[in-house]
């Protein structure tokens, strides 16, 4: 076995732990050895992997959870691609990049996807976990691998990469000006007009980048990447903030880009979209922040199914102790539950936009999904229920308490995650029920010491969801809880919401675009339709089958079920299944 010790120096605080606690408790050091030494210059501990016995005492004693020690099979050593430095993250193996193909990457955040892309785009020269300083050695190390050729071209300057970044919400901080200016600068291929039309950006060309919504920023960032003339395109989470129709549209455009001969790599956490978009898939697994391993390339279907099962066949590796499976709808009884409240017909008229929602019932213990295109009034409806927005017609005069997680999370609290959550309800943080159903599955205790304003997008999302769910309320409203979360986190959130509502006899309404998550979460659906940006309407909550059929027929997409995992899969447009299902009006297969 090879031992890897990783220290997260952002967490390590030698003054607060009691003067290098790890060094003082390490049995090797206590016996006069040197498994942990102090780097005086940087005032931090360093673990010498060759002397460390892997006892794990420092890992448990460090009050800030800054240390990870793992033992990995020795055979992996020869596949070590890059290590940022001593006691830092290690990347093993790489994804393939192929002209004419969309290669999808599936795995948790913090396992080296961005590192791999930086290598493929030439921003990082991989050190091969030693002191390598030349591309020639990299080429040698990848001899016989599909990447050998690629690295040769990269070395000779023959690869031009383009990257669509993950956090599009950060774009306005880096780039100023109008949308059109930004796109004109990117237009290497002279295809501005076509791309603008295809992505429906005509109406926002004059807008300042600062004024754009998350979905608009995403489309502009994708457009800017498509306009570039490059060899290798990387799309990091292209679906965030987009509705399902936009997701499928960009998936098709990305496919077409590959079909024109370009090499495309993408990280996507919406499984239905990843499935639709990719030719092959790499699963990346490991321990976030410590190490990541790219699997062999797999067919899209097998890759996703193996990921869900937690077991990689070719590699003979179990990377998760449990399987993720999709519950059979027939097991769900909550829609037959007692009625909690009847909400009235509600209308909001902003002048340029009007939304009308018919009244309906909400049951105790149920989760209601809210689906529909962007700009159709879903957030406005949720805000009216939350009491944040006053209806133009109708009144929410129920005597119920509401807990609300908005779509865009603002940080207006100075302090740690623990302080914030403790102020809401400290007893829930101690409760074994909340620990096992919510806090541990969402990885919240690891974030307790962190300052709220230092969290990444995904960390902030998990904290905001937790803050919403630990508040005592009759109704929980969560607007797009999946944004910035990876697949496992999405499923953990879905499970937590379902379990808390069922066990506490509460009710939740969730606005969501990820079809797999909607499927996993919801007992019933409220479906919005109309003309985005102009007028929206919604009927009362309806059953999953009826709701999904109504929703998907309005966007013209059919889904089938994977026979092994039970997950929903989008049919390719015009395929036999797509045509058959459309003829029968069966856009969505529920498990009988
Ligand atoms: P992903 O894209 O899968 O979220 P990344 O490749 O961005 O993962 O990061 C993997 C790990 O590498 C993270 O824990 C990150 O902290 C670490 N890392 C990234 N860049 C550096 C760096 N320059 N120095 C040290 N560690 C880094
Ligand atoms: P969704 O959640 O379905 O994406 P929203 O409810 O956020 O839709 O918005 C629906 C429409 O209402 C959008 O066109 C938006 O620009 C408009 N809108 C939202 N809030 C306001 C407001 N305060 N004033 C005017 N228009 C608004
Ligand atoms: Fe203290 Fe933990 Fe840092 Fe060691 S790793 S010095 S125990 S904070
Ligand atoms: Fe020392 Fe054990 Fe930590 Fe290794 S794992 S550094 S031997 S305390």
């Amino acid at each position: 076995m090879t031992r890897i010790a990783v220290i997260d120096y952002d967490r390590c605080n030698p003054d607060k732990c009691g003067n290098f606690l790890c060094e003082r408790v390490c049995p090797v050091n206590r016996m006069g050895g040197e498994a942990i030494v102090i780097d005086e210059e940087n005032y931090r501990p360093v673990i010498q992997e060759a002397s460390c016995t892997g006892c794990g005492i420092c890992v448990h004693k460090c009050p800030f959870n800054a240390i990870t020690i793992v033992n990995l099979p020795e055979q992996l050593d020869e596949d070590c691609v890059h290590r940022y430095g001593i006691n830092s993250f290690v990347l093993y193996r790489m994804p393939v990049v192929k002209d004419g193909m969309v290669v999808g990457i599936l795995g948790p955040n913090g396992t080296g996807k961005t590192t791999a892309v930086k290598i493929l785009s030439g921003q990082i020269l991989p050190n091969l976990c030693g002191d390598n300083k030349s591309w020639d050695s990299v080429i040698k190390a990848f001899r016989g691998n599909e990447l050998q050729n690629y690295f040769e071209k990269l070395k000779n300057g023959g690869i031009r990469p383009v990257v669509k970044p993950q956090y599009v919400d950060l774009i306005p901080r880096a780039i100023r000006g109008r949308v059109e200016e930004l796109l004109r600068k990117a237009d290497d291929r002279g295809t501005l007009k076509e791309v603008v039309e295809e992505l429906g950006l005509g109406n926002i060309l004059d807008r300042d980048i600062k004024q754009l919504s998350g979905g608009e920023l995403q489309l502009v960032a994708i457009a800017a990447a498509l306009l570039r003339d490059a060899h290798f395109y990387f799309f990091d989470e292209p679906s965030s903030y987009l509705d399902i129709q936009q997701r499928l549209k960009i998936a098709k455009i990305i496919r077409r880009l590959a079909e024109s001969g370009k090499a495309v790599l993408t990280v996507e956490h919406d499984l239905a979209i990843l499935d639709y978009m990719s030719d092959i898939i790499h699963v990346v697994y490991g321990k976030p922040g410590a190490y990541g391993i790219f699997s062999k390339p797999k067919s899209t279907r097998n890759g996703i199914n193996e990921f869900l099962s937690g077991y990689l066949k070719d590699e003979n590796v179990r990377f998760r102790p449990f399987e993720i499976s999709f519950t059979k709808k027939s097991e769900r009884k909550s829609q037959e539950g007692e009625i909690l409240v009847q909400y009235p017909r509600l209308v909001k008229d902003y002048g340029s936009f009007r939304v009308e929602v018919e009244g309906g019932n909400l049951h105790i213990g149920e989760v209601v999904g809210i689906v529909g295109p962007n700009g159709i009034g879903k957030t406005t409806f949720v805000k009216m229920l939350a009491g944040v927005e006053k209806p133009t017609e109708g009144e929410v005069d129920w005597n119920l308490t509401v807990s609300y997680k908005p779509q865009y999370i603002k940080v207006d609290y100075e302090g740690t995650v623990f302080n914030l959550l403790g102020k809401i309800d400290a007893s829930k943080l101690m409760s074994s029920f909340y620990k096992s159903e919510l806090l541990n599955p969402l990885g919240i205790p690891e974030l307790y010491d962190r300052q709220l304003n230092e969290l990444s997008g995904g960390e902030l999302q998990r904290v905001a969801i937790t803050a919403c769910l630990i508040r005592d309320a009759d109704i929980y409203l969560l607007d797009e809880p999946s944004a910035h979360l990876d697949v496992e986190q999405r499923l953990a959130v879905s499970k937590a919401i379902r379990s808390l509502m069922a066990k506490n006899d509460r009710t939740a309404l969730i606005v969501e675009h990820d079809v797999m998550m909607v499927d996993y979460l919801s007992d019933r659906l409220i479906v919005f339709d109309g003309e985005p940006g102009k007028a929206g309407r919604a009927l009362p909550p309806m059953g999953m089958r009826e709701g999904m059929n109504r929703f998907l027929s309005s966007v013209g997409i059919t889904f089938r079920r994977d026979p092994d995992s039970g997950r929903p899969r989008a049919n390719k447009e015009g395929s036999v299944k797509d045509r058959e299902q459309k003829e029968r009006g069966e856009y969505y297969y529920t498990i009988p």
Side-chain angles (χ1 to χ4, degrees), residues 327-340:
T327 41
K328 293 198 169 78
K329 295 286 145 131
S330 53
E331 288 167 10
R332 298 189 179 171
K333 295 271 187 276
S334 53
Q335 60 266 49
E336 293 155 21
E338 199 183 320
I339 290 176
L340 168 75

Side-chain angles (χ1 to χ4, degrees), residues 81 193 224 285 319 344 442 468 534 548 578:
V81 177
K193 217 173 136 216
Y285 59 101
F319 61 93
L442 266 62
C468 173
K534 290 228 165 76
M548 277 305 224
D578 181 56

